[in-house]
Coordinates of all heavy atoms in Angstrom, one line a residue:
S456 N 123.3 -134.0 156.0 CA 122.2 -134.5 155.2 C 122.6 -134.9 153.8 O 121.9 -135.7 153.2 CB 121.1 -133.5 155.2 OG 121.5 -132.3 154.6
T457 N 123.6 -134.3 153.2 CA 123.9 -134.6 151.9 C 125.2 -135.4 151.7 O 125.6 -135.8 150.7 CB 124.2 -133.3 151.1 OG1 125.2 -132.5 151.7 CG2 122.9 -132.4 151.1
A458 N 125.9 -135.7 152.8 CA 127.1 -136.5 152.8 C 127.2 -137.5 153.9 O 126.6 -137.2 155.0 CB 128.3 -135.6 152.8
E459 N 127.8 -138.5 153.7 CA 128.1 -139.5 154.7 C 129.5 -139.3 155.3 O 130.4 -139.0 154.5 CB 128.0 -140.9 154.2 CG 126.6 -141.3 153.7 CD 126.6 -142.7 153.1 OE1 127.5 -143.5 153.4 OE2 125.6 -143.0 152.4
S460 N 129.7 -139.5 156.5 CA 131.0 -139.3 157.1 C 131.4 -140.6 157.8 O 130.6 -141.2 158.4 CB 131.0 -138.2 158.2 OG 130.7 -137.0 157.6
T461 N 132.7 -140.9 157.6 CA 133.2 -142.1 158.3 C 134.5 -141.6 159.0 O 135.1 -140.7 158.6 CB 133.6 -143.2 157.4 OG1 134.5 -142.7 156.4 CG2 132.4 -143.7 156.6
R462 N 134.8 -142.3 160.1 CA 135.9 -141.9 160.9 C 136.9 -143.0 161.1 O 136.4 -144.1 161.4 CB 135.4 -141.4 162.3 CG 136.5 -141.0 163.2 CD 136.0 -140.6 164.6 NE 135.3 -139.3 164.5 CZ 134.8 -138.7 165.5 NH1 134.8 -139.2 166.7 NH2 134.2 -137.5 165.3
K463 N 138.1 -142.8 160.8 CA 139.1 -143.8 161.0 C 140.3 -143.2 161.8 O 140.7 -142.1 161.6 CB 139.7 -144.2 159.6 CG 138.8 -144.9 158.7 CD 139.4 -145.3 157.4 CE 138.4 -145.9 156.4 NZ 139.1 -146.2 155.2
T464 N 140.8 -144.0 162.7 CA 141.9 -143.5 163.5 C 143.2 -143.8 162.8 O 143.3 -144.8 162.1 CB 141.9 -144.2 164.9 OG1 140.6 -144.0 165.5 CG2 143.0 -143.7 165.8
A465 N 144.1 -142.9 162.8 CA 145.4 -143.1 162.1 C 146.0 -144.4 162.6 O 146.1 -144.6 163.8 CB 146.3 -141.9 162.3
A466 N 146.6 -145.1 161.7 CA 147.1 -146.4 162.0 C 148.5 -146.3 162.8 O 148.8 -147.2 163.6 CB 147.3 -147.3 160.8
K467 N 149.2 -145.3 162.5 CA 150.6 -145.2 163.1 C 150.6 -144.3 164.2 O 151.2 -143.2 164.2 CB 151.6 -144.8 162.0 CG 151.7 -145.8 160.9 CD 152.8 -145.3 159.9 CE 153.0 -146.3 158.8 NZ 154.0 -146.0 157.9
R468 N 149.9 -144.6 165.3 CA 149.9 -143.8 166.5 C 150.6 -144.6 167.6 O 150.2 -145.7 167.9 CB 148.4 -143.5 166.9 CG 148.2 -142.1 167.1 CD 146.8 -141.7 167.4 NE 146.5 -142.3 168.7 CZ 145.2 -142.4 169.2 NH1 144.2 -142.0 168.4 NH2 145.0 -142.9 170.3
T469 N 151.5 -143.9 168.2 CA 152.2 -144.6 169.3 C 151.5 -144.1 170.6 O 151.0 -143.0 170.7 CB 153.7 -144.2 169.4 OG1 153.8 -142.8 169.5 CG2 154.4 -144.6 168.1
P470 N 151.6 -144.9 171.7 CA 150.9 -144.5 172.9 C 151.6 -143.3 173.6 O 151.0 -142.6 174.3 CB 151.1 -145.7 173.8 CG 151.7 -146.8 173.0 CD 152.1 -146.3 171.7
A471 N 152.8 -143.0 173.2 CA 153.5 -141.9 173.9 C 153.1 -140.6 173.2 O 153.4 -139.5 173.8 CB 155.0 -142.1 173.7
Q472 N 152.5 -140.6 172.1 CA 152.1 -139.4 171.4 C 151.0 -138.6 172.2 O 150.1 -139.2 172.7 CB 151.5 -139.6 170.0 CG 152.6 -139.8 169.0 CD 151.9 -140.0 167.6 OE1 150.8 -140.5 167.5 NE2 152.6 -139.6 166.6
E473 N 151.2 -137.3 172.4 CA 150.2 -136.6 173.1 C 149.0 -136.1 172.2 O 148.0 -136.0 172.7 CB 150.9 -135.3 173.7 CG 151.9 -135.6 174.8 CD 152.5 -134.4 175.3 OE1 151.9 -133.3 175.1 OE2 153.5 -134.5 176.0
S474 N 149.3 -136.0 171.0 CA 148.2 -135.6 170.1 C 147.6 -136.8 169.4 O 148.3 -137.7 169.0 CB 148.7 -134.6 169.0 OG 149.7 -135.2 168.2
A475 N 146.3 -136.8 169.3 CA 145.6 -137.8 168.6 C 145.2 -137.3 167.2 O 144.7 -136.2 167.1 CB 144.3 -138.2 169.4
E476 N 145.4 -138.2 166.2 CA 145.1 -137.8 164.9 C 143.9 -138.7 164.4 O 144.0 -139.9 164.5 CB 146.3 -137.9 163.9 CG 147.4 -137.1 164.3 CD 148.6 -137.3 163.4 OE1 148.6 -138.2 162.6 OE2 149.6 -136.5 163.5
E477 N 143.0 -138.1 163.8 CA 141.8 -138.8 163.2 C 141.6 -138.4 161.8 O 141.7 -137.2 161.5 CB 140.6 -138.6 164.0 CG 140.7 -139.2 165.4 CD 139.4 -139.0 166.2 OE1 138.4 -138.5 165.6 OE2 139.3 -139.4 167.4
T478 N 141.3 -139.4 160.9 CA 141.0 -139.1 159.5 C 139.5 -139.2 159.3 O 138.9 -140.2 159.7 CB 141.8 -140.0 158.6 OG1 143.2 -140.0 158.9 CG2 141.5 -139.7 157.1
H479 N 139.0 -138.2 158.6 CA 137.5 -138.3 158.3 C 137.4 -138.3 156.8 O 138.1 -137.6 156.1 CB 136.8 -137.1 158.9 CG 136.9 -136.9 160.3 ND1 136.0 -137.6 161.2 CD2 137.7 -136.2 161.2 CE1 136.2 -137.3 162.4 NE2 137.3 -136.5 162.4
I480 N 136.5 -139.1 156.3 CA 136.2 -139.2 154.9 C 134.8 -138.7 154.7 O 133.8 -139.3 155.3 CB 136.4 -140.6 154.3 CG1 137.8 -141.0 154.5 CG2 136.0 -140.6 152.8 CD1 138.0 -142.5 154.2
H481 N 134.6 -137.7 154.0 CA 133.2 -137.1 153.7 C 132.9 -137.4 152.3 O 133.6 -137.0 151.4 CB 133.2 -135.6 154.0 CG 133.7 -135.2 155.4 ND1 132.8 -135.3 156.5 CD2 134.9 -134.8 155.8 CE1 133.5 -134.9 157.5 NE2 134.8 -134.6 157.2
R482 N 131.8 -138.1 152.1 CA 131.3 -138.5 150.7 C 129.9 -137.9 150.5 O 129.0 -138.0 151.3 CB 131.2 -140.0 150.5 CG 132.6 -140.6 150.5 CD 132.5 -142.0 149.9 NE 133.8 -142.6 149.8 CZ 134.4 -143.4 150.7 NH1 133.7 -143.8 151.8 NH2 135.6 -143.8 150.5

Side-chain angles (χ1 to χ4, degrees):
S456 61
T457 60
E459 296 177 17
S460 295
T461 59
R462 181 182 284 182
K463 297 180 183 177
T464 305
K467 296 183 179 182
R468 228 176 69 192
T469 62
Q472 280 183 328
E473 291 180 15
S474 63
E476 297 178 354
E477 294 183 1
T478 303
H479 298 276
I480 302 171
H481 305 279
R482 289 197 177 97

